[in-house]
Structure formats: structure tokens, C-alpha cells
Amino acid sequence: MFLYSLFGSILTIGAMIGAIMSGKIADYIGRRGTMGFSDIVCIIGWAIIVFSKAAWWLDLGRLLVGYGMGLLSYVVPVYIAEITPKNLRGGFTTVHQLMICIGVSMTYLIGAFLNWRILALIGTIPCLVQLIGLCFIPESPRWLAKTGKGIESEAALQRLRGADADISEEAAEIREYTETLERLSEGGILELFQRKYAHSLIVGVGLMVLQQFGGVNGIAFYASSIFISAGFSGSIGMIAMVVIQIPMTLLGVLLMDKSGRRPLLLVSAAGTCLGCLLAALSFLFQDLQQWIKATPFLALVGVLVYTGSFSLGMGGIPWVIMSEVFPINMKGSAGSLVTLVSWLGSWIISFTFNFLMKWSSTGTFFAFSAICSLTVLFVAKLVPETKGRTLEEIQASMNPFS
């Protein structure tokens, strides 16, 4: 069981290493350069898996793919947040989550019919497409402004907004905010723990901790075995998860810039709490030998409610908010820390989930339900609404320089 859990979680170990380095790499070589570097690392990782001759090759391949994912999980939401207009930013950033959702769902479905080497070979295709696509997109105007390339920054912004668009106001706001930040030093990890960044840090790190410890990766990685242990067909359960996941993520994208971040997060967290509670009750009734025929369906409904609710908000919105709340002089260090916390939580849950389920399936899901209920309180009390505000407005209100 230890080796099985280690192999299952080694991808997240690679992602943690990538996360530690992501902010500094993105600040040093730019958002576009970092995405290109990540794609190359992922292609090498997939190639090692395709041509593997021994078990350690598979471990190395998964480690490299995980490293690339760790870099991408930080730089993609940041790049999207920095290039999109404020009225579309939330929806665009969540489309990233929708694409991940579609990719994972397609992999589940294709994986049911294909050999793992062919599946790994298919894994190189999105990396190659993105690598080629990077040649046709501009660098982040905010990163260019931060590195003193004012003319290139305005040219990139004009290209993004359209040849006839008036960018003078937005360009002035970016320039003014960047000049303010130039008077401050480039922030290291330790500087993040100053009082003026406390609100941003609590919100950014807190959302990631609650997202991961609500059990998402345990449920996602071992969904099939959860259905089987509850007495339901693993393959039917997995297909039902895919059918729920994509429409709910799409609904989250459509609602993001209409209803706002906070209401979606509250509904999503309450739904994940209910889903875990239903799954816990299913295992409890199974232990008590009550309603035996109904318990597999209760587990299925619980996992589907959880998956649908998570896809609606808790899956994507913490990454949206992470990309919005930190000022650009702290974004590298803060992004690395928040992404590391997310992947560390993911590793802890994916590694321990089998052991927790062996200890008590009922207790595991009651614990996840309790954490999801804490998320509702956390969002209600601490998470600000960022809909319809520029990055500069959000960061100035949360991180006063005075």
C-alpha cells in the first residue's frame, strides 16, 4: 500500500518542487517563457514514461510531469489575470480550470480503452500545441512594465485590447501602480509575513488549505475504489462524475463575472459539505447494516454532489483570487508559497487517503465535511469580492502601503 500511495502521489511531489520555483522563474524569464519551459519539461516527462524500461523510469517521468504542472498551475492564472479586462477576468481565469476539467475527463475516458504508453504519448500533444501557440501571444503588459519595458508594455496592451481601443487610462494605471511598487523592494518569502500583507496572505493560503483538505484529490484519485467499497460499479460512477464535472465547471465560468466570487464560493463550499456528509452517512449505514440497498446510491449521490459543487467554485476561484490579491512586487514569492501550499495539501491527502479509508470511511468523510463547513465560515468572514475591480484597486485596498 505504501508503494501504491507513493506512486500515486509522486506527481504532486514534482509539482511542489515546481511550485517553490514558479514565482521566481516567472518573474525572471516572464510569463510566456515560464509556460514554454514548463511545456518542454512535461514533454520530456511524458517521453520517459512512453519509453520506460523499469519502474523508476515511470517515477522519474511522473516527477517531471508534476514539476511542469507545478510551474503551470501558478503562471497560467497569473498571466490570464494580467492580460484580461477587469469585467472578464474572473471568467477567463476560470476557463483555465474548465480546460483542466475537460482534459482530465477526456483522459479518464480515453484511458478506459487505451494502453498506458499510448496515453502518455497523447499527453505530449497539448504540450506541443501550447508550445507552438506561445509564439503567437504577447507577454504580460504588467510584467513588461515591472521590468522597465514601458513601450513594449503599451504595445502588448494595445495588441490585447485591439488596434482601435483606447488604452491610455489602463496603461496609465499600470504605469502609476508599477512606479509606486518600484519604491518598494522586490519581496522575498519572509517579507510576505509583514502586517500589511496579512489579509492577502490569509485569504490566498487559507483558500488553498481549505480547498485541498476538503478532500478533493483523495476523492478524485480514488473515486473508483470509493464507489466499489460502497457497493457501486466503479466505471459507471466514474462516467457519472465526468458527466457532472464539465457542465458545472462551465456554469461556474458563466457566473463568475455576473454573480461574483464570494456567492459562488459560498454555494460551492456548502455543496461540498453536503456531498461529504451524504457519503459519510452512506458508509455509516453500511457499518450499521441499515438500508443496505440504498447505501451505494447514497455514496454515488454524495460524490456527485461533491464533484459538481467543487467544480462550480472551489476548484477554480481560489486560483482566480490568488492571481488577484497580491501586489506585483510580492506576486512571485506569494504565488510560489500559495502554489506550494496547494500541492503540499494535495500530496498529503492523496498519500494518506488510502490509510484514512482503511481506518474509517465514515470518519474520513465526516472530517472532510467538517472542513468544508469551515470553508463557508472562512469565505463569509474573510474573502473580499474582487468582481469588476482592477488588479491595482484590489491590491491597494488589501495591501495598504502607508
Side-chain angles (χ1 to χ4, degrees):
M1 185 181 275
F2 173 80
L3 288 174
Y4 174 60
S5 294
L6 180 66
F7 180 72
S9 62
I10 200 163
L11 186 115
T12 50
I13 296 170
M16 281 190 275
I17 299 166
I20 292 166
M21 300 168 71
S22 60
K24 289 297 177 192
I25 292 174
D27 280 352
Y28 187 67
I29 64 171
R31 304 347 184 186
R32 256 190 357 165
T34 306
M35 286 187 271
F37 175 63
S38 306
D39 290 328
I40 292 164
V41 172
C42 287
I43 289 166
I44 294 167
W46 285 123
I48 290 171
I49 292 170
V50 171
F51 299 109
S52 59
K53 299 275 192 273
W56 69 267
W57 283 43
L58 295 173
D59 287 337
L60 178 62
R62 277 177 68 80
L63 192 73
L64 286 173
V65 171
Y67 175 79
M69 285 169 59
L71 292 176
L72 286 169
S73 62
Y74 163 74
V75 76
V76 172
V78 166
Y79 176 75
I80 295 168
E82 288 181 353
I83 66 166
T84 44
K86 63 183 179 182
N87 60 317
L88 298 172
R89 190 178 60 242
F92 265 94
T93 312
T94 324
V95 166
H96 167 228
Q97 197 65 29
L98 175 64
M99 294 297 113
I100 292 171
C101 174
I102 291 170
V104 170
S105 301
M106 283 175 65
T107 308
Y108 275 137
L109 294 173
I110 296 167
F113 305 103
L114 292 178
N115 155 309
W116 58 268
R117 285 188 198 270
I118 296 170
L119 198 62
L121 191 61
I122 291 168
T124 62
I125 296 170
C127 307
L128 288 166
V129 170
Q130 188 178 42
L131 197 57
I132 295 163
L134 289 172
C135 303
F136 303 97
I137 61 171
E139 182 53 271
S140 158
R142 285 175 169 87
W143 180 79
L144 289 167
K146 175 181 173 271
T147 53
K149 297 172 181 171
I151 296 166
E152 291 96 324
S153 171
E154 289 193 22
L157 190 62
Q158 189 74 66
R159 189 175 159 195
L160 287 161
R161 299 292 176 264
D164 301 323
D166 179 11
I167 61 158
S168 54
E169 192 179 328
E170 191 175 0
E173 196 171 356
I174 292 170
R175 190 166 55 248
E176 187 183 322
Y177 191 70
T178 307
E179 284 166 4
T180 306
L181 291 172
E182 276 174 2
R183 295 195 284 272
L184 305 167
S185 61
E186 185 70 26
I189 287 278
L190 294 177
E191 282 183 49
L192 261 180
F193 296 93
Q194 295 175 49
R195 190 175 175 183
K196 62 184 172 184
Y197 302 123
H199 191 188
S200 291
L201 194 64
I202 290 165
V203 169
V205 172
L207 280 175
M208 290 301 179
V209 168
L210 292 164
Q211 181 199 55
Q212 293 301 332
F213 284 86
V216 60
N217 278 302
I219 292 165
F221 288 3
Y222 303 106
S224 185
S225 57
I226 294 167
F227 291 130
I228 291 163
S229 65
F232 200 85
S233 161
S235 55
I236 293 172
M238 293 300 289
I239 291 166
M241 272 181 73
V242 170
V243 168
I244 290 283
Q245 214 170 10
I246 295 174
M248 291 302 283
T249 308
L250 183 58
L251 182 63
V253 171
L254 296 173
L255 291 175
M256 175 73 65
D257 288 309
K258 289 186 172 67
S259 66
R261 283 53 153 167
R262 270 170 57 88
L264 268 183
L265 272 177
L266 289 167
V267 170
S268 176
T272 56
C273 178
L274 176 63
C276 286
L277 191 61
L278 292 173
L281 290 172
S282 158
F283 286 112
L284 179 64
F285 291 142
Q286 206 176 53
D287 293 342
L288 297 172
Q289 297 292 300
Q290 300 288 321
W291 298 339
I292 295 296
K293 287 186 178 177
T295 54
F297 292 98
L298 193 58
L300 176 70
V301 170
V303 172
L304 293 183
V305 166
Y306 180 94
T307 304
S309 301
F310 186 87
S311 301
L312 183 68
M314 278 304 292
I317 297 176
W319 293 100
V320 175
I321 290 175
M322 179 276 288
S323 68
E324 293 175 329
V325 297
F326 294 107
I328 202 159
N329 69 315
M330 299 304 296
K331 200 169 263 185
S333 301
S336 289
L337 178 65
V338 171
T339 312
L340 172 64
V341 166
S342 174
W343 284 108
L344 179 62
S346 172
W347 178 76
I348 291 168
I349 295 299
S350 59
F351 184 78
T352 59
F353 190 78
N354 270 329
F355 300 102
L356 288 170
M357 288 291 278
K358 200 173 180 184
W359 160 69
S360 167
S361 301
T362 307
T364 300
F365 278 96
F366 273 132
F368 287 156
S369 183
I371 291 166
C372 293
S373 66
L374 278 177
T375 308
V376 178
L377 292 174
F378 181 86
V379 173
K381 294 289 182 189
L382 289 167
V383 177
E385 182 54 76
T386 58
K387 180 188 81 160
R389 298 162 74 193
T390 66
L391 294 181
E392 288 70 29
E393 286 168 354
I394 296 161
Q395 291 153 14
S397 68
M398 291 188 74
N399 311 291
F401 300 129
S402 55

